Every structure is written in C-alpha cells, then in structure tokens.
C-alpha cells in the first residue's frame, strides 16, 4: 500500500470511530494536513448528522466550508467530543510531534478543548523516540533570534522556516538534530522561553486514540 492509501485507510477508520457518536448538536475539532484533509473529505456526506466543526487552520476551515460543513469560532462553542488530526511523529505513549504544516498553535488549542484526541497517521509516523522530524516552534517575529539562541542552549540546531507566516501572523523555527527523551518536560521547557507561542510537542496533552495505517490494516491503540 502507498502512504496515501494508508492515510485514506486511517481517515476511513476515524469516520467509523466517531460516526456512532454524532448528534445534531455535535461540534467536531478538525486538524490540518494531508491526512486530516482525507478525513474532512469523508465528513462531507455526513454533514447533516452533526452541527459543525472548529478548524485548526484557515486551510482546513476553507476545505470544510467548501463541503458545506459549518465552521464555528472556538469561543462560541461549548464541548468538543472529538479532535481528529494527523501527526509528524507519534510514540508508544501517544506523544506527538506536530506542526509540519505550521498549524501547531491552533491545533494545540483545539486539542486542549476536546474530550478525545484521535490521531490518524500512516505507519511511517510511528517512532520509538521523538525528534527525527525537526520540532517546529512558533515564535513572535521580533523574538526569533533570541528564541533560536535559547534553543541552541537546549541542544537543538534551529532553522528559520523561510517564507512561512502562520495563521496567527507568527514565524516558525524548526529544531533539527534534537532527539527528545522526556517530551512532557521538553514541551514545558520550550514553552517557557519568552517569545515562544508554542512548540510542536503534543505530550502534556497527547492523543487518546491512535489509528495507525499499516500494510496489514489499521492498528488501534487507546490509552483512555
Ligand atoms: C500540521 C500538522 C499535521 O498534522 C502533520 O504535519 C501531519 O501532516 P500529514 O497528515 O500531511 O502527514 O501537524 O501542522
């Protein structure tokens, strides 16, 4: 199976996971990226079965709206039973690196509001130790050089993602050569640097369910 077929398989599996729980007043949290896009496409035909969504990026919001699915401001929404999103890396504790698509901050905010985070990923995203994928850090533009110097002190090789402006008007630094032994501690440590908006470690609030696409089928891991 190709990577795209594995992504499609986990998008199908996520639909099966949430479909029995859809009610007229359900608002879903929706992630960003190619795997999330496949999930969004499969939500289209179900649009009359639930109230709408909160999107983690302008790109996902547009894709949802193009399918006739309502997108609400997070501040106007009460409970969000499920947040469905991809990952750049995921470990056995369902800690993740996210933000390859620069949407990490809104992803983290919507995930924080959700009762259950369902991570959908092809098998290539599974790792024993996080860090092979460069860890994204969203920064306030004027703080970029300062934050980069602080990241060097933590052992990272920070590289400014040229030409990228986040949906929040900020910039992204990617941390190369930065293997992470304690994702919960490192997430907090980086977030404590002045000028950091957030970083792409999703560990203090990891996923609750992982749907991982493998050649022999979708593997489901549920921690909660
Ligand atoms: C975007 C993300 C994505 O979830 C992550 O980059 C995975 O993307 P894809 O599904 O395209 O592999 O965090 O900011």
């Amino acid at each position: 199976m190709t990577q795209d077929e594995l992504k499609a398989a986990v998008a199908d599996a996520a639909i099966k996971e949430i479909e029995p729980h859809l009610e007229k007043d359900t608002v879903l949290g929706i992630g960003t990226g190619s795997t999330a896009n496949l999930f969004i496409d499969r939500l289209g035909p179900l649009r009359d079965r639930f109230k709408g969504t909160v999107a983690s990026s302008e790109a996902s919001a547009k894709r949802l709206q193009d399918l006739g699915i309502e997108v609400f401001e997070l501040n106007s929404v009460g409970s969000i039973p499920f947040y469905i999103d991809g990952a750049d890396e995921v470990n056995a504790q369902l800690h993740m690196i996210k933000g390859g698509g620069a949407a990490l901050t809104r992803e983290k905010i919507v995930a924080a509001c959700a009762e259950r985070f369902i991570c959908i990923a092809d098998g290539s995203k599974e790792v024993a130790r996080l860090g092979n994928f460069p860890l994204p850090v969203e920064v306030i533009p004027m703080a970029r050089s300062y934050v980069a110097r602080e990241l060097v002190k933590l052992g990272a090789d920070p590289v400014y993602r040229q030409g990228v402006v986040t949906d929040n008007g900020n910039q992204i630094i990617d941390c190369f050569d930065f293997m992470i032994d304690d994702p919960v501690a490192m997430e907090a440590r980086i977030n404590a640097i002045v000028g950091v908006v957030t970083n792409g470690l999703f560990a203090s609030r990891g996923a609750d369910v992982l749907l991982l696409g493998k050649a022999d089928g979708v593997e489901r891991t549920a921690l909660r």
Side-chain angles (χ1 to χ4, degrees), residues 131-135 155-160 173-179:
N132 217 28
F133 188 92
L135 176 68
D157 178 9
V159 175
Y160 169 39
I173 295 172
D174 292 306
C175 297
F176 286 79
D177 298 326
F178 194 47
M179 298 309 291

Side-chain angles (χ1 to χ4, degrees), residues 1-192:
M1 281 172 98
T2 65
Q3 193 177 22
D4 284 347
E5 287 168 340
L6 295 174
K7 289 179 181 188
V10 294
D12 287 335
I15 291 287
K16 283 206 191 96
E17 182 98 18
I18 60 147
E19 198 178 352
H21 305 283
L22 294 179
E23 307 278 354
K24 285 287 178 199
D25 62 351
T26 301
V27 176
L28 299 171
I30 307 294
T32 297
S34 58
T35 318
N37 280 346
L38 292 169
F39 175 76
I40 291 170
D41 294 345
R42 285 156 176 75
L43 262 189
L46 301 178
R47 67 179 164 267
D48 295 331
R49 302 256 315 270
F50 63 102
K51 186 174 176 191
T53 56
V54 172
S56 62
S57 64
E58 301 296 337
S60 289
K62 181 174 183 322
R63 197 173 184 102
L64 288 158
Q65 284 161 340
D66 286 350
L67 288 167
I69 297 171
E70 188 108 29
V71 179
F72 297 100
E73 288 294 325
L74 181 60
N75 289 321
S76 71
V77 165
S79 75
I80 298 176
F82 298 102
Y83 176 69
I84 305 98
D85 199 359
D88 298 301
E89 285 187 348
V90 57
N91 69 12
Q93 291 72 44
L94 308 198
H95 300 150
M96 295 159 283
I97 287 183
K98 293 181 44 55
L104 59 161
T105 299
R106 293 190 188 192
E107 291 173 343
K108 202 175 272 196
I109 293 168
V110 183
C113 297
E115 287 160 37
R116 285 174 89 67
F117 185 142
I118 301 174
C119 176
I120 49 176
D122 66 86
S124 71
K125 310 294 181 63
E126 184 183 36
V127 297
R129 192 174 169 218
L130 297 174
N132 217 28
F133 188 92
L135 176 68
V137 180
E138 179 165 350
V139 295
I140 301 290
M142 72 174 287
R144 191 184 73 234
S145 298
Y146 167 72
V147 171
R149 289 194 294 274
E150 293 299 304
L151 291 170
V152 169
K153 289 182 195 165
L154 295 180
D157 178 9
V159 175
Y160 169 39
R161 205 185 291 182
Q162 299 268 358
V164 170
V165 178
T166 71
D167 285 348
N168 314 305
N170 297 317
Q171 297 173 342
I172 298 285
I173 295 172
D174 292 306
C175 297
F176 286 79
D177 298 326
F178 194 47
M179 298 309 291
I180 296 152
D181 288 320
D182 185 342
V184 174
M186 188 53 76
E187 180 179 3
R189 178 73 191 81
I190 296 173
N191 282 345

